[in-house]
C-alpha cells in the first residue's frame, strides 16, 4: 500500500480514487438493525500455474506438488514423511507424534522427521519468500514428479497420490501455455480508460509488450472481442460455502440459523470431497473472469480435531483444486483456536483448531509457495484467536512477507463481546497486538468507530469488502468510503458465494454507499475496477498482477460489450457498461499466465462446470 496522503491524487492515485471525505461516524456506528440478543456474533462467515510447462500428471496438471521428502524405514517398519506432510500425526498430551500406519503405534521421531518439523529458517537467511520472479524474469517451471506409490491412510486424499483413473470422458486436454502468444483486444482497459485496438505480446506468462492503435488482429493472434480487463481478484473466499447457495435462503432465520447449516456442511467435508467441490467452485470463478482467489481457509483437520496423516491435506486439496481449475490461489491459512472470548472450540469448531498458535505455525510452515500459489496467513477473528496468540500469527506472516487477513467487526455483537472481554474494539485489540499494517487486510470492517477507521487508515491496513455476503447475512453497510479516505486500499470478495460475480461486488460498493448517503457518484468505474483488480491482487500477494502493462502477469478477463445487458453505451463508456450492468454471464474469455482458461464462456480445463458443482454438492448432501 502506498503512503500517499489521501485526497491528493487523481484517478491514478491508488488509495484515493474514492469519494470525498465522509462525516466522522458516531462512536459506535451500526449500519443495520441490532441483531437480537443471543443471536450473537461470532460469524463463521461465513482459494495454469505459471503454466509455462504443462504436465500430464492427472491430479496436478502442470503444477508442482510436494516432493517426497524421504522414505525412512525405522526398525523394519515403513513410515513416510513428505515435505510439508507428516503422516499419522496425532496429538498426545498436546505433543504431536508420528504414528506407524499399520500398527498406529507411536514412533520416536527420526532426525529427518525432527528436521522436517523445524520451522523454516527466518527470512534473513533464506531468499525472501515467496521467491517471486520480478517482472521479465524467467518463471519457475514446475516439474511434476513421478510419485512413489505409498500406502493410503484411510483419510488420505486420493487426488494427491495416484491418478484418478481414465480422464473424464469429456475431459478436454489441458491447453499448454504457449511460451509466446499475442492477444488482440478489441478494447483494453489500461488503468484509466478503455483503449480500442490493442495487441499484447505475452512471453512466459508475462506481458512483454503492449501495442496500441492496432485496428485489426495481427495474423495468429488470439482475438478477445469486448472489453478486456486485467484478471479479477477475488480477495475473500470460503470455497465450501458455495454448497450453501439457495439452501440458506429458506425461511427468515438469523445469522445463527445460517451458521448451523454451514456447520452441517463443514462437518461432512473430507480432503477428497473438498477437492471436488473446490475445483468446481474455482472453475465457476474462472468463468466469472476471476484469475486469483484468496481462500480464507479454516477447515484444517478431521471432524473432532484429529489431524489427517497429511496435516495439510485440506489445504493441499484447495491448492490442487485451484491448479486444476487453472487459476492462482493465495491460501490464507487461518488460525482458529477458540469459540468465543475464553471459550474452547465447540464440536463443530474442533476441526478448525490446531490447539495453539505455535502448533498452527508449525503446520503452516510446512506449506510452500508454488508456481500458481502463495501461502498466506489469517487470524479468523478476535473471537476465534485469543489475544495472547495474535502476535504469533502476525509475526509468522511478517517474517515471510506473506499476506495476513482477518475478519473484523462484521457483527455488532462481536464488538460488544470484545469490549466486554478486553475493554476495547476489535480493531484496537488487533492494533495493540501488532496485527495491523501494510501487509494486512481487514475483511468486512462493517461496524467501526471513528478511531477504528483512523487506526486502519494510518496503519495502511487494507479493507476487503464483500457486499453481496454482507447484505445476504444482514451484516450492514461498512464505511468503505471513509476507510479509503483514511488511507486503506479497497479490495473485494465473494466470501460466502451467495453469488460469484465480482462485477456485482464492485457496483454493490457504490450502490450501497448511495443508499447510505442518498447521494450518487462515490467511486468511478475506474476506481471500482482498481479494487477488483490491482488492489485485490496486491492484497493477495500478487503485486505484479492487475494491470495490462509490460512486466505484469498476463491475466485477463474479457467482458462482452454486445450482450443484452451491456449493449448500448459508446465504447468510451465500456467500463461503466461492464461495471454497472455486466454480470458473470457477460464474461467471455479468461486468461491466466498467458494461457486461455475460458474461451467463449466455456471452461477449457473443467468440463461442464454446472454439472461438476451439482455433483460435488449433491455428494455432500447424500
Ligand atoms: Zn469470510
Amino acid at each position: 500500500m502506498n503512503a500517499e496522503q489521501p485526497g491528493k491524487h487523481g484517478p491514478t492515485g491508488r488509495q484515493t480514487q474514492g469519494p470525498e471525505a465522509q462525516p466522522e461516524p458516531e462512536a459506535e456506528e451500526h449500519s443495520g438493525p441490532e441483531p437480537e440478543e443471543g443471536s450473537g456474533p461470532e460469524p463463521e462467515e461465513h482459494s495454469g500455474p505459471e503454466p509455462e510447462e504443462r504436465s500430464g500428471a492427472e491430479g496436478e496438471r502442470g503444477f508442482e506438488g510436494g516432493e517426497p521428502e524421504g522414505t525412512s524405514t525405522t526398525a523394519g517398519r515403513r513410515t513416510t514423511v513428505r515435505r510439508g506432510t507428516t503422516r499419522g500425526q496425532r496429538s498426545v498430551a498436546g505433543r504431536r507424534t508420528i504414528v506407524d500406519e499399520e500398527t498406529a503405534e507411536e514412533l520416536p521421531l527420526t532426525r529427518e522427521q525432527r528436521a522436517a518439523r523445524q520451522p523454516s529458517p527466518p527470512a534473513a537467511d533464506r531468499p525472501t519468500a515467496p521467491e517471486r520472479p520480478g517482472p521479465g524474469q524467467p518463471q519457475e517451471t514446475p516439474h511434476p514428479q513421478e510419485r512413489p506409490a505409498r500406502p493410503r491412510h484411510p483419510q488420505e486424499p486420493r487426488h494427491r497420490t495416484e491418478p484418478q483413473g481414465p480422464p473424464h470422458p469429456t475431459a478436454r486436454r489441458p491447453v499448454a501455455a504457449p511460451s509466446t502468444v499475442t492477444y488482440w483486444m478489441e478494447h483494453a482497459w489500461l488503468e484509466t480508460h478503455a483503449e480500442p485496438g490493442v495487441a499484447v505480446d505475452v512471453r512466459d506468462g508475462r506481458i512483454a509488450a503492449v501495442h496500441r492503435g492496432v485496428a485489426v488482429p495481427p495474423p495468429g493472434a488470439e482475438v478477445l472481442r469486448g472489453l478486456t480487463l486485467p484478471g479479477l481478484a477475488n480477495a475473500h473466499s470460503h470455497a465450501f460455502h458455495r454448497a450453501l447457495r439457495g439452501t440458506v435462503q429458506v425461511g427468515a432465520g438469523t445469522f445463527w440459523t445460517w451458521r448451523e447449516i454451514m456447520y452441517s456442511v463443514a462437518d461432512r467435508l473430507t480432503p477428497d470431497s473438498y477437492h471436488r467441490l473446490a475445483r468446481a467452485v474455482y472453475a465457476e470463478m474462472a468463468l466469472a473472469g476471476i484469475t486469483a482467489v484468496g481462500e480464507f481457509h479454516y477447515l484444517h483437520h478431521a471432524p473432532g480435531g484429529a489431524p489427517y496423516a497429511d496435516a495439510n491435506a485440506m489445504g493441499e486439496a484447495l491448492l490442487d483444486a485451484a491448479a486444476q481449475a487453472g487459476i492462482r490461489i493465495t491460501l490464507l491459512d487461518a488460525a482458529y483456536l477458540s469459540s468465543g472470548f475464553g471459550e474452547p472450540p465447540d464440536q463443530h469448531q474442533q476441526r478448525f483448531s490446531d490447539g495453539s498458535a505455535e502448533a498452527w505455525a508449525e503446520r503452516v510452515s510446512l506449506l510452500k509457495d508454488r508456481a500458481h500459489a502463495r501461502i498466506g496467513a489469517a487470524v479468523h477473528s478476535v473471537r476465534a484467536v485469543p489475544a495472547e496468540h495474535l502476535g504469533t500469527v502476525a509475526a509468522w506472516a511478517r517474517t515471510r512477507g506473506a499476506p495476513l487477513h482477518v475478519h473484523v467487526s462484521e457483527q455488532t455483537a462481536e464488538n460488544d463481546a470484545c469490549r466486554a472481554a478486553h475493554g476495547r474494539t476489535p480493531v484496537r485489540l488487533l492494533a495493540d497486538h501488532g496485527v495491523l499494517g501494510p501487509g494486512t487486510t481487514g475483511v468486512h470492517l462493517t461496524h467501526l468507530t471513528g478511531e477504528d477507521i483512523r487506526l486502519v487508515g494510518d496503519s495502511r491496513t487494507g479493507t476487503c469488502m464483500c457486499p453481496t455476503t454482507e447484505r445476504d447475512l444482514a451484516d450492514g453497510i461498512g464505511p468503505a468510503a471513509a476507510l479509503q479516505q483514511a488511507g486503506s486500499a479497497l479490495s473485494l470478495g465473494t466470501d460466502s458465494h451467495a453469488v460469484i460475480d465480482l462485477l456485482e461486488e464492485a457496483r454493490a460498493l457504490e450502490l450501497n454507499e448511495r443508499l447510505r448517503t442518498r447521494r450518487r457518484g462515490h467511486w468511478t468505474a475506474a476506481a471500482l475496477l482498481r479494487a477488483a483488480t490491482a488492489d485485490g491482487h496486491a492484497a493477495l500477494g500478487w503485486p505484479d498482477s492487475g494491470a495490462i502493462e509490460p512486466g505484469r502477469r498476463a491475466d485477463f478477463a474479457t467482458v462482452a460489450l454486445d450482450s443484452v445487458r451491456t449493449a448500448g453505451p459508446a465504447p468510451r463508456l465500456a467500463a461503466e457498461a461492464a461495471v454497472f450492468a455486466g454480470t458473470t454471464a457477460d464474461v467471455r474469455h479468461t486468461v491466466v499466465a498467458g494461457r486461455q482458461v475460458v474461451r467463449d464462456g466455456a471452461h477449457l480445463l473443467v468440463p461442464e462446470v454446472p454439472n461438476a458443482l451439482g455433483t460435488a454438492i449433491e455428494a455432500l448432501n447424500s
Side-chain angles (χ1 to χ4, degrees), residues 44-46 236-238 241 296 298 380 407 410 443-444 466 469 495-496:
E44 282 301 340
E45 20 38 64
H46 88 84
H236 190 67
S237 158
H238 307 285
H241 290 193
F296 195 109
Y298 53 85
H380 179 278
H407 289 123
E410 183 181 6
V443 181
H444 302 305
C466 308
T469 289
D495 195 355
S496 67

Side-chain angles (χ1 to χ4, degrees), residues 94-111:
R95 189 168 53 76
R96 293 179 178 259
T97 59
I98 293 284
V99 180
D100 179 283
E101 294 161 14
E102 279 89 32
T103 64
E105 180 198 342
E106 180 183 336
L107 292 172
L109 294 181
T110 62
R111 190 168 45 71

Side-chain angles (χ1 to χ4, degrees), residues 32-46 252-260 263 339 383 410-417 473-475:
E34 272 307 314
E36 66 275 5
E37 206 44 46
S39 68
E42 280 98 24
E44 282 301 340
E45 20 38 64
H46 88 84
T254 68
F255 173 84
W256 303 104
T257 52
W258 177 88
R259 189 169 80 160
E260 289 315 307
Y263 278 162
S339 175
R383 172 196 53 75
E410 183 181 6
Q411 299 248 341
T412 52
E414 180 174 300
N415 290 357
D416 302 343
L473 294 180
D475 294 337

Side-chain angles (χ1 to χ4, degrees), residues 168 408 448 463:
H168 188 284
V408 190
L448 302 182
T463 297

Side-chain angles (χ1 to χ4, degrees), residues 184-190 193-199 211-215 571:
W184 180 79
M185 302 170 180
E186 185 184 18
H187 300 277
W189 181 251
L190 301 184
H193 67 286
E195 177 80 20
V198 174
H211 310 283
R212 301 175 191 218
V214 185

